[in-house]
Amino acid sequence: MRQLQVAIISLYALENNGIRHVASSLREADFRVTEIYFKDWVNNRFPWPEEQEVQNLLQLLRDRKIDVVGFSVRASAFHRMAKYLTERVRASLGVPVLWGGMHPTFLPELCIEIADFISVGETDHIVKEFFVRLDEGRSVHDCPSFWVRQGDTVYRNDIATLVELDDIPFRDFHTREDKFHVEGDKVVVGDPFVTNPEYTVLASRGCPYWTCTFCSNTLTKPLYEGKGKSFRVRSVESLIQELEYAKELCTNIKVVRFDDEVFPIRSEWVDELAEKWPSRVGIPFEVLCDPRMVRLEPLQKLKQAGLRAVCMGIQASERVNQEFYKRNTTNQMIVDAQRIFRQVDVVSNLQIIWDDPYSTEQDKEDLFRLVMELERPFELYLFGLTIYPNTHLARKLLREDRIQPHHVEGINTHAFEQFRVDLNYPRPAEDRRWLALLVLANKAFLPKELIWKLHAMERFKTDPGPLVALAQGVNLVKMAGVAAEMTARGEMTPLLIKRWVNPESLVTM
Ligand code: B12
């Protein structure tokens, strides 16, 4: 066992893949790693930590005699909180602090002003090199993928070559004693996610489309240029073996959710998965897909293997998708994809991004008409546009003076407040009307004629209040239905209720 005592901390995410991958790699290199899950998220509200929680975190680090503290800063909205916790750790323990995750990848210059070290991009293998050097008292100044600050000097290193996904160790779900969940007045030992009914997994990293201007891939694709393929797919065998391993340890899995940007759909890959999944895993699963990839045959095969639901972004009107989001999708592709989902009989969760500065009233009308054209039933999830730093969209909006720097995540915390649209959030009357109409549009128990009548009523354009109240009521009925279905499937847990039932900001479904 190596001497250096390492702690890595997940902020408000019990499932955090990044932490678990880093911990697995370091354990492979003989490090004793303390994995800390610091609080969990509540939808549209990431409450600032209580002093008791900070004290418990610091005490835990002291008790474990930690030499280096790593924070996983996934989302830029955590910037201020990560800075605060870094300062508290330094003041209390006097140890160096390392930040890893997508936020330092997006904004390395800003983050290295605060942390002693940052990692940029994926670190699965190179993280071992970094900690081995620290453990052996060697210099880390030139360690690939890491930036090091010493006094006023910053050592910036190029990123390491990307590794094949099959060569990355599985996330560790077997260690119990070195994992802690800090929340409220409690510090609970053990992995907080092994009892979760939903098991999340990635079959790939990166995105084959990658041009959507709002997405992190517009940044990571050029970052990884010359370092290997940024879009990589795991072998089916590696995936199945991970699920076999996970099933032994996470004994309550009722559904597997693939979190890939888009689920791999190459035909031999799908054939192999469809053949192996039922007998070796046999758990229903859900995937994310893109309108450009939806085809009948692979979906039929996946359905036979256990595909239960698909998630697909509509995002905006055809014009906004093509001109501003650089998504080469058409309305026809979306209509066709939904028809295929109905034909295959999978639940379709369609997603829309609201609050963009480009959509005109005509775009909103077009989007509403598209949604009304879709074959029912389908679920509709409304998200508020969050502007992530350094994405193509952020740079364009700043250039065009449509936003100010404080509107960009990092200074802003939009992802904490309106990640999912809440109908009561203050928005212009016309937007409240559109959002209410969209919420009504996918409720299969409401006849479309009724929705068209509500759409035609002029008075809601200036006073959408009654329409919003109707949509809220209908939304609550829907929520109760979803909750009942999930309870019947054994998927409703106190954790899920805490995350999603937030009376201060009810999400739309
Ligand atoms: C899947 C996913 C989720 C899942 C997570 C599932 C899980 N089991 O972890 C869920 C749905 C829970 C989720 C939630 C959120 N997400 Co998310 N998510 C992703 C996605 C698509 C993949 C993340 C992933 O698992 N990657 C694979 C792992 C292995 O990579 P990784 O986490 O980056 O970790 C590697 C390195 O970063 C590094 N690393 C990470 N941590 C550390 C720590 C140390 C010490 C070191 C050395 C290295 C290191 O090493 C790891 C191994 O290579 C990314 C997009 C992307 N390309 O990253 C968005 C992404 C990270 N999410 C994003 C956001 C905004 C969020 C939310 C805030 C949304 C919300 N309001 O709910 C929350 C935040 C939750 C939280 N508290 O962190 C944004 C962040 C953008 C930004 N700059 O803010 C991204 C980039 C998507 C985007 N829109 O572009 N997310």
Side-chain angles (χ1 to χ4, degrees), residues 6-10 15-35 37 68-73 98-102 119-131 146 168-172 179 205:
V6 183
I8 44 177
I9 304 172
S10 166
E15 54 268 80
N16 198 327
N17 292 333
I19 283 285
R20 287 190 175 81
H21 275 300
V22 169
S24 284
S25 293
L26 291 180
R27 287 189 185 120
E28 245 188 18
D30 248 4
F31 283 97
R32 177 149 194 211
V33 185
T34 299
E35 236 173 284
Y37 294 87
V68 187
V69 173
F71 281 100
S72 179
V73 195
L98 159 67
W99 285 14
M102 283 309 281
S119 69
V120 179
E122 296 182 14
T123 64
D124 301 274
H125 284 185
I126 200 69
V127 72
K128 294 191 226 177
E129 164 83 18
F130 179 81
F131 279 104
F146 284 80
I168 298 173
F170 298 155
R171 289 164 298 167
D172 175 337
K179 300 188 182 192
R205 286 191 193 169

Side-chain angles (χ1 to χ4, degrees), residues 11-12 17 72 74 76 78 101 123-124 200 216 261 388 415 419:
L11 298 176
Y12 294 69
N17 292 333
S72 179
R74 170 183 280 157
S76 300
F78 285 106
T123 64
D124 301 274
T200 64
S216 54
E261 311 273 12
Y388 300 115
F419 186 67

Side-chain angles (χ1 to χ4, degrees), residues 389-429:
N390 269 332
T391 52
H392 282 191
L393 186 69
R395 285 188 251 150
K396 184 175 160 62
L397 290 171
L398 285 168
R399 251 193 340 265
E400 291 173 357
D401 235 5
R402 285 178 187 261
I403 58 163
Q404 299 306 309
H406 69 267
H407 291 119
V408 180
E409 287 294 273
I411 304 178
N412 201 357
T413 53
H414 182 275
F416 288 178
E417 290 129 30
Q418 274 307 281
F419 186 67
R420 289 278 295 275
V421 163
D422 163 5
L423 285 178
N424 285 336
Y425 193 72
R427 286 188 171 82

